[in-house]
């Protein structure tokens, strides 16, 4: 893996794909843990079109060692840096018959532990007793997202479509996209591969048309501390030098 090259690609285009990060056996172990969990908690959302687990690493702590294998730890250390920690994690399962469609958008909010009036923080939302807020731009610009694919994903089963380099343009309203200037790229990812992206990258996904499921573990990382009034509720520190997660 030429990680320096991938680091340069992310800085330039806002995303990159690296396949063969997890073996078939590792993906099967991760899938097995997910299949055997109690899905009745309020952080779990289940419908015909979507099954999602919010605060994924917090809800299923036994899965951490499977996810942060040596390959992923090396990616985080070499591309992000030593000081990055987990700030958010979600598991998505788009079932085979899912018609879940996601319009182009940027990920403009972070999860926080409470709602407090702070300059340059807002608007606020609350879902299932979880608080989210749009923070100042420098916090968003510093976040990296890793999406771990448990299934082969292409344009026929909801692979992410992105607008390359849109992450470098600040807040970019989807309705203002000028397709005479911008291009669209479909991010095909193999089972066991990862896609990395910056949250400000414009991205969306189409409906599934080939009857194949698409399961993704979405993890966000930052190295920025929040103002003292706020905390990252899902914060998980990574000790990447000793292959050990605390």
């Amino acid at each position: 893996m030429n990680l320096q090259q991938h680091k340069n690609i992310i800085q330039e285009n806002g995303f990159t794909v690296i396949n063969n990060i997890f073996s078939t056996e590792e993906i099967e172990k991760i899938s097995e843990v997910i299949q055997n969990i109690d899905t009745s908690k309020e952080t779990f959302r289940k419908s015909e079109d979507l099954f999602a687990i919010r605060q994924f690493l917090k809800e299923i702590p036994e899965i951490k060692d499977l996810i942060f294998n040596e390959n992923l730890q090396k990616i985080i250390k070499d591309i992000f840096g030593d000081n990055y920690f987990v700030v958010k994690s979600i598991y998505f399962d788009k079932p085979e018959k899912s018609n879940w469609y996601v319009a182009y958008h940027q990920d403009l909010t972070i999860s926080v532990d409470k709602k407090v009036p702070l300059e340059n923080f807002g608007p606020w939302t609350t879902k299932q007793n979880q608080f989210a807020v749009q923070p100042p731009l420098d916090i968003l610009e510093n976040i990296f997202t890793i999406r771990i694919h448990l299934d082969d994903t292409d344009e026929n089963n909801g692979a992410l479509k992105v607008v390359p380099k849109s992450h470098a343009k600040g807040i970019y309203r989807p309705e203002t996209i000028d397709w005479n200037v911008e291009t669209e790229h479909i991010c095909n990812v193999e089972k066991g591969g990862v896609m990395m992206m910056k949250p400000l990258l414009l991205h969306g996904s189409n409906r599934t048309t080939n009857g194949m499921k698409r399961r993704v573990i979405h993890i966000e990382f930052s190295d920025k501390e929040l103002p003292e009034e706020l905390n990252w509720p899902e914060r998980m520190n990574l000790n990447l030098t000793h292959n050990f997660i605390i």
Side-chain angles (χ1 to χ4, degrees):
M1 284 189 295
N2 185 343
L3 294 183
Q4 183 58 48
Q5 188 179 355
H6 284 288
K7 184 175 183 175
N8 295 341
I9 292 169
I10 291 178
Q11 286 169 345
E12 173 78 11
N13 290 330
F15 70 98
T16 194
V17 172
I18 311 179
N19 287 310
N20 302 311
I21 299 305
F22 295 87
S23 67
T24 302
E25 186 185 12
E26 286 173 318
I27 292 295
E28 282 172 6
K29 283 181 181 172
I30 291 169
S31 301
E32 200 176 313
V33 172
I34 293 168
Q35 280 163 8
N36 292 326
I37 55 174
D38 170 14
T39 60
S40 62
K41 295 185 181 179
E42 63 175 21
T43 44
F44 298 3
R45 172 182 172 186
K46 201 159 192 176
S47 70
E48 279 183 25
D49 277 344
L50 181 72
F51 173 47
I53 304 172
R54 295 181 182 280
Q55 299 193 19
F56 177 67
L57 294 173
K58 212 170 169 183
E59 292 287 3
I60 312 172
E62 64 271 26
I63 212 163
K64 288 175 195 169
D65 289 342
L66 296 175
I67 286 174
F68 291 96
N69 67 4
E70 282 188 29
N71 285 342
L72 198 69
Q73 291 200 42
K74 184 167 175 53
I75 284 171
I76 295 165
K77 186 177 172 63
D78 290 5
I79 294 182
F80 304 172
D82 286 330
N83 300 321
Y84 272 76
F85 46 86
V86 173
V87 294
K88 189 175 189 175
S89 59
I90 309 173
Y91 168 74
F92 292 108
D93 178 356
K94 277 190 179 181
E96 297 89 329
K97 295 188 173 85
S98 171
N99 276 322
W100 193 259
Y101 164 84
V102 181
Y104 268 112
H105 66 286
Q106 295 173 300
D107 292 338
L108 293 176
T109 64
I110 58 170
S111 296
V112 291
D113 62 334
K114 56 179 154 326
K115 182 176 179 179
V116 288
L118 281 174
E119 193 176 352
N120 298 322
F121 280 77
W124 293 77
T125 57
T126 311
K127 275 185 198 167
Q128 299 162 326
N129 295 322
Q130 295 178 67
F131 300 96
V133 65
Q134 183 170 325
L137 204 57
D138 66 311
I139 292 177
L140 290 174
E141 287 172 341
N142 229 50
I143 292 173
F144 284 94
T145 299
I146 292 183
R147 294 166 58 88
I148 301 164
H149 284 250
L150 306 185
D151 304 289
D152 288 325
T153 311
D154 60 23
E155 66 275 12
N156 299 311
N157 66 329
L160 275 196
K161 51 185 184 179
V162 302
V163 179
K165 304 185 180 183
S166 54
H167 70 297
K169 300 181 179 181
I171 305 297
Y172 191 154
R173 298 296 171 197
E175 62 273 14
T176 68
I177 298 173
D178 181 354
W179 290 112
N180 295 315
V181 178
E182 306 289 13
T183 57
E184 179 176 277
H185 178 83
I186 306 289
C187 298
N188 294 354
V189 188
E190 295 172 10
K191 177 179 179 176
V194 302
M195 179 206 174
M196 283 177 288
M197 59 180 274
K198 302 293 287 175
L200 290 174
L201 183 76
L202 278 163
H203 60 285
S205 63
N206 293 330
R207 294 177 174 85
T208 301
T209 58
N210 65 357
M212 304 292 284
K213 64 161 54 187
R214 187 202 76 172
R215 296 167 300 157
V216 173
I217 296 166
H218 170 116
I219 308 174
E220 296 177 17
F221 301 80
S222 177
D223 66 349
K224 274 200 179 297
E225 300 298 341
L226 296 173
E228 59 183 20
E229 299 92 334
L230 289 177
N231 293 299
W232 300 101
E234 297 180 59
R235 179 174 183 150
M236 191 179 86
N237 294 330
L238 305 172
N239 183 346
L240 298 170
T241 47
H242 301 97
N243 290 338
F244 181 66
I245 299 165
I246 53 174

